Amino acid sequence: MVRPAMVRSVMRASRGDAVLFILTAVVTVSVDLIYAIVIGVAVAAALALRSVAAAAGVHREELPGGAVAGDERIALLRLDGALFFGAADRVLERVARIDHVDVVILRMSQLDLLDATGAQVLGEVVSSLEQRGVTVLIKGVQPRHLPLLEHAGALTALTDDTHLIADLDAAVARGRAMVAAR
């Protein structure tokens, strides 16, 4: 049913592909083709979710432009990949651990996927930071993520409606002004 060249190719592709192929082949021969298909799809889905979750991350960046006094009290964090049930806690735990800053700017323009769990956890992190006296500015929310963030209460966790900003330069300027006013 499968050409030998295809078997060699799959076995060399990745460890996950090889395990999935062997598992499906063993279940096909020992049990039934229908069970093998169901198990193969379930394992492939689990491997895909693991891969998507591993690609999610949060990265601290330098503030654009020349350095200004007080910049060390601003954390610019870029959220990448997917913020969903499989990665939300791990990704946002890093945001929650930020200390020795007065302002956190969350860049969300590179966020590909956001689900209800990710939006809920984001709201909890924003609330936690705000309660510690850290002002949170959210920059670059994609229009498709906005309704979910509103329904999950992530945006109401912000202390001010103006803390949702579309432009990076405006967010940095706002953060610098807040630090200078303290």
Side-chain angles (χ1 to χ4, degrees), residues 20 23-25 27-28 32-44:
L20 182 60
L23 176 67
T24 305
V27 173
T28 300
D32 184 21
L33 178 61
I34 301 299
Y35 287 113
I37 291 171
V38 170
I39 290 171
V41 168
V43 171

Side-chain angles (χ1 to χ4, degrees), residues 51-71:
S51 174
V52 169
V58 57
H59 309 281
R60 188 163 184 170
E61 298 181 326
E62 295 294 322
L63 296 177
V68 175
D71 279 358

Side-chain angles (χ1 to χ4, degrees), residues 24-160:
T24 305
V26 168
V27 173
T28 300
V29 172
S30 63
V31 181
D32 184 21
L33 178 61
I34 301 299
Y35 287 113
I37 291 171
V38 170
I39 290 171
V41 168
V43 171
L47 292 174
L49 281 176
R50 191 177 111 209
S51 174
V52 169
V58 57
H59 309 281
R60 188 163 184 170
E61 298 181 326
E62 295 294 322
L63 296 177
V68 175
D71 279 358
E72 69 279 356
R73 294 172 36 206
I74 301 172
L76 176 59
L77 304 174
R78 185 186 75 235
L79 301 177
D80 288 331
L83 191 57
F84 73 113
F85 69 91
D89 287 332
R90 179 183 57 80
V91 169
L92 293 176
E93 177 185 317
R94 179 152 188 256
V95 175
R97 284 187 287 150
I98 294 292
D99 56 359
H100 306 299
V101 297
D102 295 326
V103 176
V104 170
I105 302 171
L106 295 176
R107 290 185 67 186
M108 295 184 58
S109 56
Q110 299 298 312
L111 199 60
D112 297 324
L113 175 75
L114 178 71
D115 74 353
T117 302
Q120 180 69 35
V121 171
L122 180 63
E124 292 170 8
V125 167
V126 170
S127 292
S128 171
L129 288 170
E130 294 277 358
Q131 288 172 359
R132 289 180 13 212
V134 177
T135 302
V136 178
L137 304 175
I138 296 180
K139 179 265 173 210
V141 173
Q142 296 179 26
R144 63 190 169 125
H145 296 154
L146 208 49
L148 183 57
L149 289 169
E150 289 172 351
H151 291 296
L155 299 182
T156 57
L158 295 171
T159 56
D160 191 331

Side-chain angles (χ1 to χ4, degrees), residues 167-179:
D167 181 62
L168 179 60
D169 291 332
V172 171
R174 167 68 77 54
R176 286 176 171 158
M178 291 175 160
V179 166

